[in-house]
Amino acid sequence: GINGGPFVDFNSILLENNTFDHISGNNQGRCFYFVIQGTSNDVTIKNNTISNCPAGGSLIKFWFRTLRTEFKIESINFIGNSVTKCYDLIGSTPHIWVENVFDDQKTNNDKYHTCSFELTLENCYFEGNYNSEQGGALHYGNIKYNANSKLILKRCTFKDNNAKQGGGAIAVHSYQGCTMEECVFIRNKSEEG
């Protein structure tokens, strides 16, 4: 995929109308991974498709090195992808990994490892995805690098996704909560609960 880092000071990023098909590997952000520093808030991710990626690491990763309060990903299709536990020291593999800057006031408490922010997924489509742990289509907030966030799902569709341990469509562990608006869930399943 695309690796935009480490530590590149982009003026802007526009990732639009692209297809990432059958991207393999156990890396963080195997389809695209950006490490962003500086003051740019001009990051647009929309109308992309990630499909047929075999079992492996996170599909998307953004690591913000300058404080952000919110970030939005729009209209991405996730079709037929699979993630598996790749990071023993970190925990379960999230499909989407968005990491904010460290909170220096609370570094001894893993619950608040990074500063809080809101991640919005809007008009995204998840079909036929699999996770060998939880959250067949989307596992988010389960590691200390993104747990201190709020996940907002707007008009997302989850269809025919499967997880081995639970949460056939999604598993959310973010400390700031989760909001779902006008989302659709069709035939998702979990094998063990």
Side-chain angles (χ1 to χ4, degrees):
I2 299 170
N3 187 338
F7 309 111
V8 175
D9 192 2
F10 292 102
N11 289 326
S12 67
I13 295 174
L14 171 62
L15 197 60
E16 183 177 15
N17 299 325
N18 301 289
T19 299
F20 299 85
D21 188 65
H22 201 81
I23 307 295
S24 61
N26 291 332
N27 296 324
Q28 303 169 17
R30 58 182 152 144
C31 294
F32 50 92
Y33 175 16
F34 291 98
V35 179
I36 302 170
Q37 63 183 15
T39 57
S40 173
N41 286 318
D42 188 10
V43 180
T44 304
I45 309 299
K46 65 180 183 179
N47 298 329
N48 294 286
T49 297
I50 296 175
S51 59
N52 305 311
C53 295
S58 299
L59 300 168
I60 296 171
K61 181 174 181 181
F62 282 90
W63 182 12
F64 293 105
R65 305 292 292 159
T66 303
L67 181 66
R68 289 188 70 102
T69 57
E70 58 188 14
F71 182 59
K72 180 163 63 170
I73 296 174
E74 298 179 70
S75 305
I76 293 190
N77 298 309
F78 295 89
I79 302 170
N81 303 299
S82 181
V83 295
T84 191
K85 188 171 183 178
C86 295
Y87 320 119
D88 286 334
L89 295 175
I90 295 171
S92 300
T93 302
H95 295 75
I96 299 171
W97 183 331
V98 180
E99 182 175 334
N100 209 2
V101 297
F102 292 100
D103 184 347
D104 292 333
Q105 302 301 311
K106 300 176 182 174
T107 55
N108 293 325
N109 184 345
D110 283 347
K111 179 178 178 182
Y112 297 107
H113 191 72
T114 57
C115 294
S116 65
F117 73 104
E118 292 184 352
L119 172 63
T120 300
L121 301 179
E122 188 170 332
N123 296 318
C124 293
Y125 182 80
F126 301 83
E127 181 177 358
N129 300 288
Y130 178 77
N131 189 339
S132 63
E133 295 190 304
Q134 299 177 5
L138 181 62
H139 196 183
Y140 186 79
N142 57 311
I143 58 174
K144 63 184 178 180
Y145 300 103
N146 62 15
N148 194 20
S149 58
K150 179 176 183 176
L151 179 63
I152 300 170
L153 302 171
K154 293 183 177 179
R155 294 176 299 282
C156 294
T157 299
F158 298 87
K159 181 179 178 185
D160 294 323
N161 300 288
N162 186 9
K164 182 167 179 68
Q165 296 178 7
I170 61 174
V172 179
H173 305 275
S174 52
Y175 295 124
Q176 303 300 328
C178 178
T179 299
M180 292 180 238
E181 299 176 12
E182 301 178 50
C183 293
V184 176
F185 296 85
I186 302 169
R187 290 189 309 271
N188 300 285
K189 67 179 181 176
S190 60
E191 297 171 14
E192 296 179 1

